[in-house]
Amino acid sequence: MEPPTGIFSSLWRFILFIPYFTGLLLLGVLKGIVFCPLICLIMAIGNSAIILGLLPVHGIWTLYSISSAKQLGPILKLFLCLCLPLGIILWLVVSIVGSILGGALYGFLSPIFATFDAVGQGKSNPFFHCFYDGTWSTVKGSFTVVCDFRDVCFHSYFSFMDDLRTSSADHHYYEIRLLQIPGAVIAAVLGVIVAFPVISLLALFKSPYMLFKGWRRLFHDLIGREGPFLETMCVPIAGLVILLWPLGVVGAVLGSVVSSVFLGAYAGVVSYQESSFSFGLCYVVASLSIYDEYSNDVLDMPEGSCFPRPKFRRKEEEGGGGGGLSRPSSFKTTPSRGGSNKGPMVDLKPLDLLEALFVECRKYGETMVTKGIINSKDIEEAKSSKGSQVISIGLPAYSLLHELLSSIKSNSTGLLLGDGVTEITTRNRPKDAFFDWFLNPFLIIKDQIEAANLSEQEEEYLGKLVLLFGDSERLKSSIVESEFPPLTELRKAELDSFARRLQGLTKSVSRYPTFRRHFVELVKKLSNDLDKKHNRFEGGGPRPVKKTVSRIFSQKSFKKKTSSNGSDHQDSPNRGLRDIDIV
């Protein structure tokens, strides 16, 4: 259906749309009322059971990890240990209340949105899906949320604490400067006293502008079939978005009120970092200007602010002397974000990106199981609490390395995903904070790998380092000096640095929600592939006793895999036989 032309045609379609939208809304609200208590009960009981069940372990292990951390000084350790009871109380209140409210919102809104999605373009039997969609899927989604929350509280928590305990103090050492504490506390209190009422008033004064401007834009897009309502499948949701827009405005105001506390309290951090109480007071004034300018940018209001913005950093031009709000120096090499996003935005959610990553992991994992690179010991360790570095970190890191090399060889300015079509750059990336955390570090290391101008043999060597970095014995046995040209110590150190950074970034990604769930599915798939491989030898010839990985990443096979034209199917059928030596 093409967008209507002419004011009368647009008005007539809008009038016809009103009863259509009203019926869907009433049906969705009815389903939301029915399922809201059930979903709220599931998420509240499930998350609360996880929180209370792991609370003793979290308390004891956090205390032990803080006391064992080499990066923390003795005074800072004592301060954190004294603040631990307060942190536990806040964790209980915020997490349990958040679970109840989140469950209620999810149980009510998910059936509504699913009802509108049921009549989207390309849906078969929309009448049936209007009643069915958002019922059982919402129940399953609530259990999935509980499972992901369990993985974060268990696996992600212990992974973070292990890093805290084992990290050395060579690069970073943190200690409290006692003389700066009184001034920092006073600056933080003054910041909250000033920022909380002023920013709250600014948010309230700007909320009517946000409400009516948002409504004006949404009505304009709906009637003219522009913007987010250009596609036919988006039209049924248009009225729902317009109806819920006031809730978005209320949420924005409440978010501003809550953030004002942290924005004002950051004056204590500035005072402590700069060792100057006066700089903390300057930040208190500047924080008002920071919020005012930011809100003007979001609402597309005139630039600037009526509040002064005094200098609150000694080295503000160079990045703020380590301030928490300043961008780290490593991010300064990222591609420029200047200009507007004139190109189409990639319709990609953070969880979709993780799913795409595990699709690549399954693809490479199947190949490595077939070749004997991933063995039964790796899979058994991955199933246990010990974990397998090769599967849990090495395989995803190898898949990400493949994405980086493919992007480099395709002359992509961003990251080219495994489908060979979708490209994420700094201009078309979705505006989720996840993509800031995820995309920028990988773009930096991509540029560094491209600047290193690696040869094909060095790419093979780097692939081995990335995959087997956690298993030194297998790594040493897999690297045969005759396969590679002699590398200088400087070149080896550079490749080792790339491998460590890729594995470190992958380990950070592994702590995100849903990662553990996808990882368990990956291990099951690799285990089934390994069983099928072993079954081929039953009743037949002798099974292989030992396999070496000296030819894991052959020069041609790696080159074919990382090429953009996907011509790897032209390899010789005996390529796999030369990659594995059976003893």
Side-chain angles (χ1 to χ4, degrees), residues 247-525:
L247 295 180
V249 176
V250 172
V253 173
L254 293 178
S256 298
V257 172
V258 173
S259 64
S260 65
V261 177
F262 300 97
L263 191 63
Y266 192 75
V269 178
V270 173
S271 175
Y272 179 84
Q273 290 177 339
E274 300 297 330
S275 300
S276 173
F277 179 70
S278 61
F279 277 112
L281 296 180
C282 291
Y283 174 80
V284 174
V285 179
S287 63
L288 305 178
S289 176
I290 292 173
Y291 174 81
D292 194 22
E293 292 180 2
Y294 175 78
S295 59
N296 288 342
D297 291 340
V298 172
L299 298 176
D300 198 19
M301 297 176 68
E303 296 182 356
S305 172
C306 59
F307 297 97
R309 188 169 184 174
K311 179 181 178 181
F312 57 90
R313 294 288 190 185
R314 287 190 174 88
K315 298 180 179 180
E316 193 169 5
E317 293 80 12
E318 288 79 17
L325 292 180
S326 61
R327 185 181 294 272
S329 58
S330 60
F331 283 88
K332 296 177 182 179
T333 58
T334 55
S336 173
R337 297 190 185 200
S340 60
N341 294 335
K342 297 182 179 179
M345 193 74 66
V346 174
D347 185 14
L348 190 66
K349 298 179 180 179
L351 301 184
D352 295 336
L353 191 62
L354 287 179
E355 292 178 359
L357 170 63
F358 275 94
V359 168
E360 296 298 309
C361 288
R362 283 192 290 270
K363 181 175 70 175
Y364 293 116
E366 292 173 359
T367 304
M368 293 177 183
V369 167
T370 303
K371 293 183 177 181
I373 302 170
I374 294 178
N375 51 40
S376 57
K377 180 182 177 182
D378 295 325
I379 296 178
E380 292 301 324
E381 289 180 353
K383 292 180 179 179
S384 65
S385 59
K386 179 181 178 181
S388 171
Q389 289 292 321
V390 175
I391 297 181
S392 61
I393 302 297
L395 183 56
Y398 175 77
S399 301
L400 289 171
L401 174 63
H402 172 77
E403 301 289 345
L404 295 177
L405 293 175
S406 299
S407 303
I408 293 172
K409 296 186 178 183
S410 301
N411 295 322
S412 171
T413 58
L415 289 181
L416 189 65
L417 299 186
D419 56 6
V421 177
T422 306
E423 181 184 15
I424 306 178
T425 65
T426 55
R427 291 182 178 272
N428 70 345
R429 65 168 182 81
K431 293 184 178 181
D432 299 79
F434 172 86
F435 287 92
D436 282 334
W437 304 331
F438 178 86
L439 182 62
N440 286 339
F442 282 101
L443 288 181
I444 292 171
I445 194 171
K446 167 183 171 289
D447 292 340
Q448 293 174 347
I449 293 176
E450 185 175 9
N453 195 20
L454 303 181
S455 64
E456 296 175 356
Q457 291 81 6
E458 289 171 341
E459 290 177 0
E460 297 176 32
Y461 182 81
L462 180 58
K464 293 182 178 182
L465 289 178
V466 168
L467 180 65
L468 303 175
F469 197 82
D471 195 333
S472 57
E473 295 183 0
R474 290 170 65 181
L475 177 62
K476 187 180 299 184
S477 63
S478 67
I479 297 177
V480 179
E481 297 295 336
S482 59
E483 293 184 2
F484 304 99
L487 300 176
T488 63
E489 293 298 325
L490 180 61
R491 196 63 165 177
K492 286 184 178 180
E494 186 178 15
L495 296 178
D496 289 344
S497 175
F498 287 148
R500 286 194 300 268
R501 291 183 60 191
L502 273 172
Q503 290 208 331
L505 292 173
T506 305
K507 192 171 185 179
S508 299
V509 173
S510 68
R511 296 168 183 161
Y512 293 152
T514 75
F515 185 94
R516 181 69 187 178
R517 173 160 50 88
H518 288 95
F519 173 74
V520 172
E521 295 176 357
L522 173 64
V523 173
K524 290 181 180 178
K525 182 67 171 61

Side-chain angles (χ1 to χ4, degrees), residues 52 68 77 80 115 128 141 157 160 172 235 247 266 301 375 398 471 473 490 544 578:
L52 297 177
S68 304
K77 290 180 180 179
L80 293 177
T115 302
F128 167 76
Y157 166 80
F160 177 78
H172 299 285
V235 173
L247 295 180
Y266 192 75
M301 297 176 68
N375 51 40
Y398 175 77
D471 195 333
E473 295 183 0
L490 180 61
R578 290 187 281 112

Side-chain angles (χ1 to χ4, degrees), residues 195-264:
F196 180 77
V198 176
I199 291 179
S200 300
L201 289 176
L202 284 174
L204 288 175
F205 286 144
K206 293 183 179 183
S207 59
Y209 181 84
M210 180 180 181
L211 177 65
F212 290 106
K213 184 172 183 178
W215 266 342
R216 177 182 176 275
R217 179 61 183 270
L218 291 172
F219 274 112
H220 178 272
D221 292 343
L222 173 61
I223 296 175
R225 297 291 305 280
E226 298 177 357
F229 307 127
L230 178 62
E231 298 294 335
T232 303
M233 63 178 299
C234 298
V235 173
I237 308 178
L240 183 63
V241 174
I242 294 173
L243 189 64
L244 297 179
W245 179 245
L247 295 180
V249 176
V250 172
V253 173
L254 293 178
S256 298
V257 172
V258 173
S259 64
S260 65
V261 177
F262 300 97
L263 191 63

Side-chain angles (χ1 to χ4, degrees), residues 73-86:
I75 301 177
L76 181 57
K77 290 180 180 179
L78 179 62
F79 175 77
L80 293 177
C81 291
L82 293 177
C83 294
L84 185 60
L86 178 61

